[in-house]
Amino acid sequence: RKEVEQDPGPFNVPEGATVAFNCTYSNSASQSFFWYRQDCRKEPKLLMSVYSSGNEDGRFTAQLNRASQYISLLIRDSKLSDSATYLCVVNLSGGSNYKLTFGKGTLLTVNP
Amino acid sequence: SQTIHQWPATLVQPVGSPLSLECTVEGTSNPNLYWYRQAAGRGLQLLFYSVGIGQISSEVPQNLSASRPQDRQFILSSKKLLLSDSGFYLCAWIDQNTGELFFGEGSRLTVL
């Protein structure tokens, strides 16, 4: 299994659609999980952290399944401005020794 | 508040030429600092990280090197660039409380 593996994409969806991204990770001891967003030719920026109990921020919902070692991101009511690459990020080393490993990203295009 | 700057933003270099990318962080002390590279069509690859002055850990063997001459300064160098060194180089620091990575705006390197 690759260290952090995401849906390859790309995803093309109409405005208002619901879209889900999945990501698997290799180290069961991993403790920190994140979703980052990267606009074209820009630096990545944190979208949201992923907590064990799952968390929601407006139209975005993140979930963690430790047993299956995957995290997910759900975007509801997609907007044109949601078009970007979404990166799954995992601290594979566990604990406070932060060495974050990024997935290759999934490109989302929301169409009018 | 903390800010991170890196430069130059864009550079085109011939094969075999040297490289120096610089990154500085403001508004925090003793940060953990990182250099990542994002090659075309690939995910972010961790190149180096540093937990303090003069302390560098290399993740991938290559012709690049890093140095941390001051607490908030992180430099990426090469004596002789290869074509495969082309990519988008990103410096980052981490908020140890939240695990969030904050990236600089990136340096886009093209080796010809």
Side-chain angles (χ1 to χ4, degrees):
Chain A
R1 170 183 273 183
K2 292 182 181 178
E3 289 187 317
V4 178
E5 191 164 9
Q6 295 186 235
D7 289 332
F11 284 53
N12 285 278
V13 303
E15 271 187 292
T18 295
V19 60
F21 304 132
N22 292 313
C23 171
T24 58
Y25 58 94
S26 60
N27 185 358
S28 60
S30 300
Q31 296 183 21
S32 305
F33 310 90
F34 310 88
W35 284 102
Y36 277 67
R37 170 192 168 128
Q38 185 175 23
D39 293 307
C40 187
R41 300 181 72 82
K42 297 289 188 179
E43 74 275 21
K45 293 183 179 178
L46 179 68
L47 176 65
M48 57 196 305
S49 301
V50 185
Y51 302 122
S52 297
S53 56
N55 47 302
E56 188 174 306
D57 182 4
R59 298 181 292 109
F60 299 85
T61 300
Q63 291 191 317
L64 167 65
N65 184 320
R66 286 191 183 275
S68 301
Q69 293 177 219
Y70 83 80
I71 66 174
S72 64
L73 176 68
L74 183 76
I75 305 175
R76 293 181 299 277
D77 189 23
S78 300
K79 310 292 185 189
L80 295 177
S81 57
D82 293 333
S83 298
T85 297
Y86 290 83
L87 303 168
C88 171
V89 185
V90 180
N91 179 21
L92 291 175
S93 62
S96 61
N97 180 19
Y98 284 105
K99 286 171 56 178
L100 299 184
T101 300
F102 285 72
K104 289 186 178 181
T106 303
L107 177 62
L108 171 67
T109 301
V110 180
N111 302 302
Chain B
S1 63
Q2 300 86 357
T3 57
I4 180 168
H5 304 282
Q6 61 176 112
W7 66 92
T10 307
L11 63 168
V12 180
Q13 297 282 108
V15 169
S17 64
L19 172 74
S20 181
L21 302 179
E22 192 161 339
C23 172
T24 59
V25 181
E26 297 175 359
T28 185
S29 60
N30 197 31
N32 282 12
L33 298 174
Y34 303 80
W35 277 111
Y36 282 87
R37 177 174 63 199
Q38 188 175 39
R42 302 182 66 179
L44 270 75
Q45 179 185 33
L46 179 61
L47 302 176
F48 301 95
Y49 72 95
S50 171
V51 298
I53 295 174
Q55 300 180 65
I56 308 294
S57 295
S58 174
E59 291 296 301
V60 182
Q62 57 208 319
N63 68 321
L64 299 172
S65 62
S67 62
R68 188 163 173 180
Q70 300 181 41
D71 182 44
R72 288 171 286 178
Q73 185 184 28
F74 203 21
I75 298 172
L76 182 70
S77 304
S78 174
K79 292 182 179 178
K80 287 187 177 181
L81 286 168
L82 306 173
L83 287 174
S84 57
D85 290 325
S86 294
F88 190 39
Y89 288 81
L90 291 155
C91 179
W93 71 277
I94 197 163
D95 183 327
Q96 297 273 31
N97 294 320
T98 64
E100 181 177 356
L101 268 179
F102 293 89
F103 289 92
E105 293 181 339
S107 299
R108 196 166 300 277
L109 170 66
T110 302
V111 182
L112 301 175

